[in-house]
Amino acid sequence: MNAEYDAIERLPTGIPGFDHIANGGLPRGRTTLLSGTAGSAKTVFAAQFLAAGALRGEGVVFVTFEESPDDLRRNMRGFGWDIPKWEAEGLWAFVDASPQPDQELLVMGSYDLGALLARIEHAVRRVKATRISMDSLGAIFARLGDTRLVRDELFRIVSTLKRLGVTGVITAERAHENGEIARFGVEEFVTDDVVILRNVMEEEKRRRTVEILKFRGTAHQKGSFPFTVIPGRGIVMIPLSAMELKQRSSNLRITSGNAELDRMCGGGFFRDSIILVSGATGTGKTLMATTFMAAGAQRGERALLFAFEESRDQLFRNAEGWGIDFEQMEKDGLLRVVANYPEVTSLEDQLIAMQAEIERFKPQRIAVDSLSALERVSTLRGFREFVIGLTSFIKHQEIVGLYTATTSTLLGGSSITEAHISTITDSIILLRYVELFGEMRRGLTVLKMRGSIHDKEIREFSIDSKGMHIGRPFRNISGILSGQFTHISPSELERLGAMFRDDETAPPAE
C-alpha cells in the first residue's frame, strides 16, 4: 500500500527490525494479538514494547495473568530494563492478575472481567499510559466456560482499550506452530492486528521467526523473518526485506596482498566488493585471507578477521610462518581477530554479534574464514539468510569483504556455500589441486570479477615461507575445475591451438 493512502498512524515498538517489517510500528490506538508457542518470546516482546515507551517517557501498563510482578522485574532485568526505576518514576504500572499459590482454579460460565477492566482503567489513568501489554490470555480465558464467552470478553477488552486510547499487545498461546492461531480459535477474529511468533524445530535446530498475519486496513511486509533474543538487548529481528540494493559503488581498487593476483583481477579488488575464495582443505584459503589482512595493515587500514575453524593462536602462528606479524598488527590497533566455534550460538545470534563487532571496530577490510563452518549450525535457508544479511551489512558500510568456502572433495567440485551465494558475491577465486604425473600441485583461477576484465587462465601457484607465488598457466591439462583431468600431448596442444588461432593473412571479418 502506498504510504500516501495509508491513513493508519503507527507507534514504533522499539524492537530492532520489527518496525521495518511493520512499516513503522504497531497501528496506534489499536490492540494487536501476539500469538506463539512456548518459548517463542511473547512475554519478552510484550515487555520490550513497554520498555521502549518508558524510555521515551511514556506511561505504560503491564497486565500479568501468569508471572508475578516480582518475577517479571527480575527476569526482564537481564535485558537492561530497570522496571523498578520506571515504577518509582510513575511511568510503569503493574496490574497483577496472576494466580496466587492458594488460589483454586475454577471454570465458571458466568465469570466476567468487569472488575479486572476497572483495575486496568485505573492504572492507565494513573500513569497516563499510551501503551499496554496483557500476558497472556490463555491463563484468564481458561476460567470461562465456552468460546462464545471468550469471544465476548475479548471483544470487551479490545473495546475498553480502544476507548482508553492506548495501543495494546495481548499475548495468546497456541499449541502448534501451524494450524489454529490461538487456543480458542476466535481470538484472531476479534482483534484488528495479528502477529505470530514461531520457535520452529528444523533439522534438529531451533529457529525463531516472526510473521505479521494481518494489519487491518493497512500495509505491512509479507512473509516470515528470523529473529533472536539477546541478553542486554531483548528481541532483535533480521528484516531481510530491508536489505536494498542502494549502496554506492566506486572504481577504487585495493590490493589483495599478492601483486600477481592483483594483475589477474584487472588491478586488484574493488573497494566495496565481496570476494569468495573457494577450494579444498589445504589449498591456501586461509593464507589468502591472511595476506589480504596484512596488505590492509601495511597501508594503515583496520582489518577484522572472523575465524570459525582455527583459534587466534593458531592463526597467529600460521601468519608468522608466512612472514606476517599479526601480533604487531594487533598491538598497533590495525587487526582484530574474533575466533569461536559456530556451534556456540545460533546463526542469527552470530550475525547480530558480527554486525556489532564491525560497528565497534570500524574496519576497512573484513575476512570470514570460513563460511562453510557456519553451514553446520543452520538449515540451508537460515544459512542463506545469514549470508545475505552479512553481505548487505558489509556493502552498506562500503568496505571490502573476503569469504572463504571449503569444497567437499579434494579434486574439483563446488561447495554448498559456493552454489548458494555465488550470485551475491562480486568476485570468485577458485583454488584447486591438480594431479600431474604422480604429483599434487595447486591451481588458481579468477572465475568471476564483476565489472572488470580479468585473467581467465588457470595458473599454477606454490606456497612457501614467504606466502603464495603464482606462476604460469597449465597448458597441457584440461578438466582441472571438474577434477576430471585429461593430459594433452604437445602435438595435440599445437593442433588445438592452430584451430583457434587468428589467421593473420585472412581478411578482417565484416
Side-chain angles (χ1 to χ4, degrees):
M1 183 180 291
N2 192 315
E4 183 182 351
Y5 301 106
D6 194 345
I8 307 295
E9 190 180 353
R10 306 305 173 100
L11 180 65
T13 62
I15 298 174
F18 182 80
D19 290 344
H20 177 83
I21 62 176
N23 287 359
L26 295 178
R28 187 185 290 271
R30 300 201 321 206
T31 300
T32 298
L33 179 72
L34 182 69
S35 180
T37 55
S40 56
K42 299 183 295 298
T43 303
V44 179
F45 187 110
Q48 191 166 354
F49 170 64
L50 298 188
L55 287 169
R56 292 158 52 114
E58 300 174 13
V60 301
V61 172
F62 197 113
V63 185
T64 175
F65 297 117
E66 288 185 323
E67 294 182 73
S68 69
D70 281 344
D71 286 343
L72 284 166
R73 292 185 190 102
R74 187 167 46 250
N75 295 339
M76 297 302 132
R77 184 178 288 277
F79 298 114
W81 306 327
D82 193 349
I83 296 175
K85 172 175 171 288
W86 291 327
E87 287 181 290
E89 293 172 351
L91 295 174
W92 186 297
F94 275 111
V95 174
D96 184 8
S98 61
Q100 303 305 307
D102 56 349
Q103 183 179 3
E104 185 179 357
L105 178 63
L106 298 175
V107 176
M108 298 177 292
S110 58
Y111 187 90
D112 77 64
L113 303 178
L116 174 66
L117 289 176
R119 292 173 61 194
I120 292 173
E121 184 166 349
H122 174 71
V124 167
R125 296 193 187 287
R126 181 164 61 85
V127 298
K128 297 181 175 57
T130 57
R131 304 176 184 224
I132 186 169
S133 289
M134 303 178 72
D135 182 53
S136 75
L137 283 183
I140 191 73
F141 283 174
R143 305 179 186 186
L144 304 180
D146 56 50
T147 54
R148 184 186 61 80
L149 275 176
V150 169
R151 186 167 190 146
D152 290 348
E153 291 301 320
L154 180 57
F155 181 74
R156 194 174 168 192
I157 292 172
V158 172
S159 299
T160 300
L161 298 183
K162 186 174 289 186
R163 177 172 57 79
L164 293 172
V166 295
T167 305
V169 169
I170 297 180
T171 69
E173 299 133 352
R174 59 191 312 214
H176 306 286
E177 299 296 351
N178 297 300
E180 295 279 352
I181 301 301
R183 179 183 295 180
F184 299 97
V186 298
E187 297 92 326
E188 66 269 28
F189 300 108
V190 180
T191 55
D192 292 324
D193 315 310
V194 178
V195 175
I196 300 175
L197 302 181
R198 294 190 174 90
N199 186 23
V200 183
M201 177 71 88
E202 292 179 354
E203 299 175 15
E204 299 185 354
K205 300 177 181 71
R206 286 284 176 191
R207 182 169 179 269
R208 287 187 169 121
T209 62
V210 60
E211 177 188 5
I212 298 175
L213 187 65
K214 73 169 182 179
F215 272 4
R216 193 170 280 161
T218 185
H220 58 83
Q221 303 284 320
K222 306 294 190 300
S224 295
F225 300 88
F227 74 91
T228 185
V229 181
I230 298 178
R233 294 187 64 184
I235 291 175
V236 178
M237 298 188 178
I238 305 170
L240 297 174
S241 59
M243 297 162 189
E244 301 168 316
L245 291 171
K246 291 184 177 177
Q247 68 274 8
R248 292 182 296 177
S249 289
S250 75
N251 291 320
L252 183 64
R253 302 270 190 160
I254 63 168
T255 179
S256 66
N258 185 300
E260 191 58 28
L261 180 59
D262 289 347
R263 196 197 65 74
M264 291 179 70
C265 292
F269 301 146
F270 284 116
R271 157 64 68 191
D272 43 18
S273 63
I274 300 294
I275 303 105
L276 176 66
V277 179
S278 173
T281 180
T283 48
K285 300 183 299 298
T286 302
L287 167 60
M288 193 169 283
T290 302
T291 308
F292 174 69
M293 299 277 99
Q298 286 173 0
R299 286 157 180 77
E301 298 174 353
R302 285 185 298 279
L304 178 58
L305 172 60
F306 294 103
F308 298 105
E309 291 184 327
E310 295 179 271
S311 70
R312 174 186 172 281
D313 288 349
Q314 280 179 299
L315 291 164
F316 278 49
R317 183 197 61 197
N318 296 343
E320 187 179 359
W322 295 315
I324 296 171
D325 191 351
F326 265 7
E327 196 85 40
Q328 188 60 48
M329 289 165 55
E330 194 178 57
K331 286 179 183 173
D332 294 340
L334 297 175
L335 174 70
R336 176 156 172 73
V337 176
V338 180
N340 60 55
Y341 275 115
E343 283 79 3
V344 299
T345 186
S346 70
L347 218 49
E348 290 81 12
D349 287 8
Q350 198 74 259
L351 175 60
I352 301 298
M354 291 170 75
Q355 290 177 342
E357 195 62 50
I358 292 168
E359 287 179 335
R360 267 195 300 272
F361 191 64
K362 301 188 184 315
Q364 281 83 41
R365 296 180 180 223
I366 292 173
V368 180
D369 185 34
S370 77
L371 279 183
S372 302
L374 295 168
E375 291 175 16
R376 296 197 302 261
V377 298
S378 176
T379 61
L380 276 179
R381 181 181 174 185
F383 176 69
R384 185 171 174 79
E385 289 174 349
F386 166 83
V387 175
I388 292 172
L390 180 62
T391 300
S392 174
F393 186 80
I394 291 175
K395 278 181 166 283
H396 278 88
Q397 309 298 312
E398 297 181 15
I399 50 184
V400 59
L402 185 145
Y403 304 157
T404 69
T406 306
T407 56
S408 57
T409 57
L410 287 177
L411 302 177
S414 63
S415 67
I416 296 174
T417 309
E418 187 183 319
H420 283 81
I421 69 167
S422 58
T423 55
I424 300 169
T425 57
D426 299 298
S427 308
I428 297 177
I429 297 171
L430 300 183
L431 308 180
R432 293 290 186 264
Y433 284 117
V434 182
E435 182 187 357
L436 200 61
F437 305 115
E439 183 182 354
M440 292 300 279
R441 300 189 184 183
R442 295 182 176 95
L444 176 153
T445 188
V446 178
L447 188 68
K448 169 184 171 184
M449 189 76 193
R450 190 173 276 161
S452 170
I453 59 170
H454 61 88
D455 192 326
K456 297 179 175 60
E457 293 177 315
I458 302 175
R459 306 277 293 273
E460 183 174 3
F461 73 93
S462 60
I463 297 174
D464 63 16
S465 61
K466 294 183 179 177
M468 176 183 288
H469 306 277
I470 301 174
R472 302 175 62 184
F474 288 98
R475 291 297 189 196
N476 57 346
I477 186 168
S478 64
I480 293 175
L481 297 186
S482 66
Q484 304 296 319
F485 304 120
T486 303
H487 297 278
I488 305 172
S489 65
S491 59
E492 181 67 5
L493 192 64
E494 176 62 26
R495 188 182 72 80
L496 290 172
M499 288 174 63
F500 298 101
R501 189 178 300 138
D502 290 339
D503 186 350
E504 296 178 356
T505 62
E510 296 183 355

